[in-house]
Amino acid sequence: MILKTLLWCILILLNCVQGQKTLQSAALECPSLEKGDSYTQSEFLSRLANECRYDRLLLPTYQTADVVYVHASAYVYFIQPAEAHDLNFKLHFLLQLRWTDPRLAYTLYSPERTKIIGESDLRQRIWVPHLYMSNEQSSSLMGTDSKDVLISIAPDGEVLFSRRMQAVLYCWMNLQKFPFDDQTCSMNLESWKYNASILRLMWERDNPVRLSSELHLTEYSLIDYWTNESVVRGDIVNMRLGGGRSGNYSALKFTFKLGREVGYYLMDYFIPSMMIVATSWVTFWLQADASAPRITLGTSTMLSFITLASSQAKTLPKVSYIKASEIWFLGCTGFIFSALVEFAFVNTIWRRKKAVSLKKVNSKYILKSTLTPRLARKELQKELQESSPQLTKSRSCSSLNQETSSDPAGPGYNNYLTVHSFPSALNLPTITTQSYDELISGGRRPPASEGSDEPPKHHTWTTMTPQEIATWIDKRSRVLFPLLFVFFNIIYWTFVYCL
């Protein structure tokens, strides 16, 4: 037992001696920072960020448990909104992050050194906050031979991290007023690893986002832009953040508002479509029976407009709601189609044989008689019967006497009498008889109602041929269609710019 105890004591002493030697060797291996001005930047940095005194996996304030404040700013070189069906935009920008790491302060060790500057190699030696863009589709660091990354460390430990990036970001566009729409897109920066109680993202106070003076947009114009700070909620359910950890995470947002330039669409779509619609009205100046030219004109204008509209629809996503461009398409299509229908209507009327009796020459009675000619004739007969219920059928006598004579001077030669039974209250034209001698001499008998006090009243019924009705409809269409199209334009452009 005594030997065993001695052996255990000897082993413990040997371990203690070996541990002390390891600590002494580690102390000897940790490079000194004294006389830091005598070292080159690479040598001094290798000593400053040596593993013996600096752990790049730990926060700068891991010893004090204070919040690390990361200040951000951006310089935008280029904004390229993509096609509407892609629902994204491309952004080229310089992102700068600024924070303080007390472990990298070197004022006491190298007072004459004003700044330490490095690139990707320095990025691998120090702690850098991990940020990501939540609406990112794709992104990459820009650079030719090497990535455009720059890090500078001030004597007090303030770190400025700059990187030049290009990113394609999602932008959920609302195309209800396309192409007169304004789109609001944003770049969202969020903390990936540390929650808001450990790391806080903040925009710089002065000019957090600056735009290049050479920034120019083609299809859009930049209306406004702004920045804001927020806190997002991460949990295991939606897996929003890395590892699915729950908590509140700091976030930054840069938002800009773009207005679509409508000059291209006015010159290439709206004005040509107006001209196509106006061309379809030429058919109203052609004769109603000119079927070949009127059909050719109507169908060619319809096909031309559909081809014009389809070229615009290819650049748009297939959404469930109706867009302003589709309202214009439906309206213009309706006017062109109505011109075709008008031709079919007047051509059908033109080919009718029977004349039409009209009580008055206006739109109501003309359309009523042309749309339902049989019904109009029945109503005419009914109206005559209601106005003169005592009107009886007329009786005609072929001769006043039954004697037949071939002598023109005979008393009964070619004397015709038509007898009507009319009520005294109905003033109708009176039919009188004339003999052959009176017709030869041109003599006239005074009408039976000549001695009455009131002059005879006549009905106002008018007869129009189908050709006259077709021409009348064409003439009215020449005025009605342009007026309706102007009214449609007033409503449409008021909706586009005022609502």
Side-chain angles (χ1 to χ4, degrees):
M1 291 294 295
I2 296 173
L3 292 174
K4 291 182 178 180
T5 304
L6 290 173
L7 289 174
W8 279 108
C9 291
I10 292 170
L11 290 173
I12 293 172
L13 289 173
L14 290 174
N15 290 332
C16 291
V17 172
Q18 187 176 1
Q20 289 179 357
K21 289 182 179 180
T22 304
L23 293 174
Q24 290 176 359
S25 62
L28 293 174
E29 291 177 0
C30 191
S32 174
L33 294 175
E34 299 297 332
K35 298 180 180 180
D37 292 332
S38 62
Y39 300 110
T40 63
Q41 177 175 291
S42 298
E43 293 175 344
F44 181 75
L45 182 62
S46 63
R47 292 170 178 268
L48 182 65
N50 193 278
E51 294 180 356
C52 64
R53 62 170 56 93
Y54 189 90
D55 190 352
R56 61 183 297 269
L57 299 179
L58 297 178
L59 286 167
T61 58
Y62 76 98
Q63 294 177 342
T64 60
D66 293 334
V67 178
V68 179
Y69 292 95
V70 178
H71 302 266
S73 63
Y75 185 83
V76 180
Y77 301 104
F78 174 73
I79 299 176
Q80 179 186 0
E83 296 293 340
H85 59 81
D86 293 331
L87 298 177
N88 58 25
F89 67 97
K90 183 182 290 185
L91 195 67
H92 293 182
F93 62 99
L94 174 68
L95 179 63
Q96 288 187 337
L97 302 177
R98 180 176 61 87
W99 69 94
T100 301
D101 192 342
R103 298 172 296 176
L104 298 177
Y106 55 88
T107 305
L108 298 177
Y109 307 108
S110 182
E112 296 182 2
R113 196 180 303 273
T114 58
K115 188 175 293 185
I116 297 176
I117 299 177
E119 296 183 359
S120 299
D121 54 345
L122 181 56
R123 163 72 176 82
Q124 302 300 325
R125 294 186 178 187
I126 65 174
W127 177 89
V128 175
H130 187 176
L131 306 182
Y132 80 104
M133 289 176 283
S134 60
N135 61 333
E136 172 190 349
Q137 182 177 352
S138 63
S139 66
S140 61
L141 292 173
M142 300 178 66
T144 53
D145 295 336
S146 60
K147 301 301 181 182
D148 296 342
V149 176
L150 183 65
I151 298 178
S152 64
I153 303 175
D156 59 351
E158 184 180 77
V159 181
L160 184 63
F161 174 44
S162 304
R163 54 183 176 180
R164 206 161 63 97
M165 302 180 62
Q166 62 178 0
V168 179
L169 306 176
Y170 288 108
C171 181
W172 307 114
M173 300 181 181
N174 184 358
L175 301 173
Q176 287 184 339
K177 296 184 68 175
F178 176 87
F180 309 94
D181 53 330
D182 296 334
Q183 302 299 336
T184 302
C185 302
S186 62
M187 177 184 68
N188 304 325
L189 288 172
E190 299 180 9
S191 173
W192 175 258
K193 183 178 180 182
Y194 302 103
N195 57 35
S197 62
I198 302 175
L199 187 142
R200 183 68 60 84
L201 299 177
M202 302 176 64
W203 286 109
E204 295 283 3
R205 288 189 177 181
D206 299 330
N207 298 325
V209 176
R210 288 162 291 173
L211 303 180
S212 173
S213 58
E214 299 179 354
L215 177 64
H216 297 287
L217 302 177
T218 54
E219 188 177 350
Y220 291 86
S221 60
L222 183 61
I223 299 176
D224 194 11
Y225 65 94
W226 61 92
T227 60
N228 64 303
E229 305 168 4
S230 61
V231 175
V232 297
R233 177 69 180 175
D235 51 38
I236 301 177
V237 177
N238 56 31
M239 298 291 290
R240 181 182 177 88
L241 301 170
R245 299 189 306 163
S246 61
N248 297 323
Y249 291 80
S250 183
L252 299 176
K253 179 179 286 189
F254 162 55
T255 307
F256 53 93
K257 186 176 182 180
L258 300 174
R260 196 183 301 272
E261 295 288 350
V262 299
Y264 165 78
Y265 296 95
L266 288 176
M267 297 302 297
D268 281 29
Y269 180 60
F270 286 96
I271 293 179
S273 61
M274 291 180 185
M275 296 175 66
I276 291 175
V277 173
T279 303
S280 67
W281 300 336
V282 177
T283 184
F284 303 143
W285 273 264
L286 301 177
Q287 193 164 307
D289 62 339
S291 301
R294 294 188 72 161
I295 291 177
T296 303
L297 182 62
T299 53
S300 60
T301 53
M302 177 66 78
L303 293 176
S304 300
F305 179 71
I306 292 176
T307 303
L308 177 67
S310 62
S311 62
Q312 300 295 329
K314 291 179 181 179
T315 61
L316 297 177
K318 296 177 176 60
V319 294
S320 58
Y321 51 82
I322 189 169
K323 300 181 286 291
S325 59
E326 293 174 342
I327 295 176
W328 178 263
F329 170 78
L330 294 175
C332 293
T333 304
F335 276 98
I336 298 174
F337 181 75
S338 299
L340 283 170
V341 173
E342 192 271 350
F343 158 68
F345 182 60
V346 297
N347 184 260
T348 303
I349 296 173
W350 183 279
R351 290 185 283 104
R352 289 179 181 175
K353 303 299 182 180
K354 296 182 179 180
V356 179
S357 298
L358 301 173
K359 186 174 182 180
K360 294 181 180 179
V361 182
N362 56 23
S363 303
K364 174 183 176 182
Y365 292 100
I366 290 178
L367 294 178
K368 187 176 181 181
S369 62
T370 52
L371 292 174
T372 55
R374 294 183 179 180
L375 181 60
R377 286 195 294 270
K378 290 181 179 180
E379 290 183 356
L380 172 61
Q381 296 175 1
K382 183 178 179 181
E383 186 173 349
L384 287 174
Q385 292 177 2
E386 290 178 354
S387 61
S388 304
Q390 298 178 357
L391 182 63
T392 60
K393 295 182 179 180
S394 61
R395 293 173 287 117
S396 298
C397 299
S398 60
S399 177
L400 293 178
N401 53 24
Q402 299 298 327
E403 296 179 359
T404 59
S405 174
S406 59
D407 184 11
Y413 185 77
N414 282 348
N415 285 332
Y416 290 90
L417 175 64
T418 301
V419 181
H420 299 273
S421 297
F422 296 105
S424 58
L426 185 62
N427 295 320
L428 293 175
T430 303
I431 301 175
T432 59
T433 61
Q434 290 180 322
S435 65
Y436 178 81
D437 297 332
E438 290 173 341
L439 290 172
I440 295 298
S441 61
R444 302 290 183 186
R445 290 188 181 182
S449 58
E450 186 176 348
S452 59
D453 297 332
E454 297 181 0
K457 297 181 180 180
H458 300 278
H459 285 288
T460 58
W461 293 92
T462 305
T463 301
M464 292 182 67
T465 63
Q467 291 73 23
E468 291 175 342
I469 294 177
T471 304
W472 183 90
I473 294 175
D474 273 340
K475 289 181 179 180
R476 299 309 185 273
S477 299
R478 297 171 191 173
V479 179
L480 181 62
F481 273 70
L483 289 179
L484 290 177
F485 190 66
V486 170
F487 180 70
F488 168 72
N489 275 266
I490 293 173
I491 296 177
Y492 181 82
W493 297 107
T494 303
F495 164 76
V496 164
Y497 285 104
C498 298
L499 299 180

